[in-house]
Amino acid sequence: MTVPNHFELLGTDGAARTGRLTTPHGVVRTPAFMPVGTAGAMKGLHWREVRDAGADIVLGNTYHLMLRPGAERIAALGGLQRFTTWNGPMLTDSGGFQVMSLAQLRKVNEQAVTFRSHIDGAAIELSPERAIEVQRLLGSDIAMQLDECVRLPADHADIERAMQLSLRWAERCKRAFETAPDGYMLFGIVQGGDVPALRHASARGLIDIGFHGYAIGGLAVGEPQEVMLEMIEEAAPILPTDRPRYLMGVGTPEDILEAVARGIDMFDCVMPTRNGRHGLAFTQYGPINLRNAKHADDPRPLDEESDWPSTRNYSRAYLHHLVKSSETLGAMLLSEINTAYYQRLMRDIRAAIAAGQFEEFRLSTRAGWERGDIAARA
């Protein structure tokens, strides 16, 4: 059976692509960065700030939401979009990565992964079928297959075992998703660690099964950036050109820029809010650490050329004071500033690809980061 396609490729520039993904809750312009609302909320941000920053789609986390407040409860309250008031496109991950990284006493077998909740120690089984059931209860526009992700470096045998298990789980996830309403999507996840042949086998196996879109998983888990980029180069060209490609859990602005250059359409990462809570701002000058004493007497904004009011209006001295005083407002402002920067980066990437100027944009953006921050106030 042919899997319906909801993605339109609008233009390319080299391997970089721009497109439009139509979901039941709206259109997503690609390349797109998805802010992460792990437990149904953006840490330190109001939903209106996420919208105003320009995000078309956000991510919710199956593992956390199934543990608290519970998928069945969210479904009874109208689904995750209504529950949160986001009411726009939403992707949910399968929970597999969090099980591997957070859960206590986990055990993986052919049927499922069993684990104890990090909240209350309750024993829980997450099978491919249950992962899809939970995501359908949440009501996300895009669901992800359950997979097993191994941290790198890892033994070849363990990487291959996890990849083959993930392929078998992908088939079960697709069968479980067959009753989803029209327009909702399921993405398969390419695994294979840092072994090119396993990445190839995983990608081809997923294509044979057939999905609405394809993700590349198991990266940004400890390997150097060059390894991550090499694995993208191995996997992306195999994936269908008419389907969206999602690089999971990535990353820094540089990671995103380089992954777009290699044909990736979608990204997610907690970096904008996590780094904001720790005093780090992302700007056209590169990352700026507001904890540094050089900002204490500086009345200038982070970036007077920014189109985001908080980036342009608050002084470095004030932001430094908030961060050093552990004021909640500091974390909120920097999370907002970072989220807006990521969305502006994606908007500018889309425009550059559409204009056939992506390589020039990539080089000029990297040059701005490499020049670094403006000189400290004398």
Side-chain angles (χ1 to χ4, degrees):
M1 181 182 297
T2 302
V3 178
N5 190 11
H6 306 289
F7 179 68
E8 182 182 3
L9 186 62
L10 298 177
T12 61
D13 187 3
R17 300 142 48 93
T18 184
R20 179 169 51 223
L21 181 62
T22 302
T23 81
H25 288 89
V27 172
V28 179
R29 299 163 294 177
T30 64
F33 179 83
M34 298 180 283
V36 176
T38 301
M42 297 290 159
K43 290 191 184 334
L45 290 179
H46 193 285
W47 287 108
R48 65 172 172 267
E49 293 166 336
V50 179
R51 291 190 190 92
D52 291 348
D56 291 336
I57 182 171
V58 299
L59 183 145
N61 186 272
T62 292
Y63 170 85
H64 289 280
L65 292 166
M66 70 182 282
L67 296 182
R68 185 170 55 197
E72 284 75 11
R73 176 171 288 156
I74 290 174
L77 291 166
L80 193 53
Q81 277 96 337
R82 182 175 294 179
F83 185 56
T84 61
T85 75
W86 165 249
N87 292 323
M90 186 175 287
L91 178 148
T92 47
D93 61 16
S94 69
F97 177 78
Q98 283 72 30
V99 169
M100 303 307 160
S101 60
L102 295 177
Q104 304 169 26
L105 303 175
R106 64 182 180 271
K107 181 179 179 181
V108 180
N109 59 33
E110 188 67 32
Q111 178 58 30
V113 55
T114 56
F115 61 95
R116 291 199 176 275
S117 165
H118 74 284
I119 296 173
D120 59 8
I124 296 171
E125 179 179 276
L126 185 63
S127 66
E129 293 77 14
R130 176 58 177 165
I132 297 302
E133 179 186 26
V134 169
Q135 292 179 84
R136 293 303 314 129
L137 287 166
L138 296 175
S140 58
D141 301 79
I142 303 171
M144 302 301 299
Q145 72 151 105
L146 182 65
D147 62 337
E148 183 184 359
C149 176
V150 296
R151 289 195 174 277
L152 299 176
D155 292 337
H156 184 287
D158 196 36
I159 294 172
E160 183 171 15
R161 179 201 57 75
M163 183 275 285
Q164 295 289 357
L165 178 64
S166 295
L167 274 179
R168 295 191 296 274
W169 281 1
E171 292 186 271
R172 290 167 58 187
C173 285
K174 184 179 179 182
R175 289 196 297 270
F177 195 80
E178 288 175 353
T179 58
D182 291 343
Y184 289 85
M185 287 168 265
L186 175 66
F187 284 18
I189 303 175
V190 177
Q191 287 291 350
D194 55 1
V195 183
L198 296 182
R199 288 284 176 180
H200 299 168
S202 178
R204 293 191 178 101
L206 292 171
I207 293 167
D208 288 343
I209 297 169
F211 290 91
H212 300 94
Y214 297 88
I216 300 175
L219 294 174
V221 290
E223 80 285 356
Q225 186 195 53
E226 57 266 25
V227 173
M228 178 187 75
L229 296 178
E230 180 188 350
M231 291 305 103
I232 296 171
E233 292 170 359
E234 294 290 345
I238 299 174
L239 299 175
T241 58
D242 64 343
R243 304 280 168 156
R245 302 166 179 171
Y246 164 30
L247 181 60
M248 303 182 73
V250 174
T252 67
E254 181 185 15
D255 289 340
I256 291 171
L257 193 63
E258 294 304 314
V260 167
R262 291 159 172 80
I264 300 299
D265 307 306
M266 299 170 66
F267 304 87
D268 81 280
C269 191
V270 297
M271 276 192 172
T273 50
R274 176 175 289 171
N275 283 327
R277 294 196 302 277
H278 291 88
L280 193 74
F282 290 104
T283 74
Q284 66 168 320
Y285 311 115
I288 297 175
N289 186 351
L290 272 304
R291 291 186 174 276
N292 288 346
K294 68 179 183 179
H295 301 295
D297 297 303
D298 196 335
R300 299 172 301 176
L302 278 169
D303 182 0
E304 62 184 8
E305 298 177 358
S306 173
D307 59 0
W308 188 253
S310 296
T311 312
R312 195 174 60 244
N313 295 338
Y314 289 97
S315 73
R316 292 167 179 243
Y318 184 53
L319 293 171
H320 170 80
H321 160 70
L322 293 175
V323 170
K324 294 296 285 185
S325 302
S326 298
E327 285 289 343
T328 302
L329 180 59
M332 293 169 62
L333 286 174
L334 290 175
S335 295
E336 168 198 327
I337 285 166
N338 288 346
T339 298
Y341 177 76
Y342 269 65
Q343 293 304 325
R344 179 178 179 177
L345 177 64
M346 305 316 296
R347 184 184 70 212
D348 291 348
I349 285 173
R350 292 192 294 266
I353 296 171
Q357 298 174 346
F358 176 73
E359 183 58 17
E360 294 92 328
F361 174 80
R362 186 181 76 87
L363 293 174
S364 65
T365 301
R366 290 185 62 96
W369 294 334
E370 290 165 4
R371 280 194 300 270
D373 193 13
I374 55 178
R377 181 179 172 87

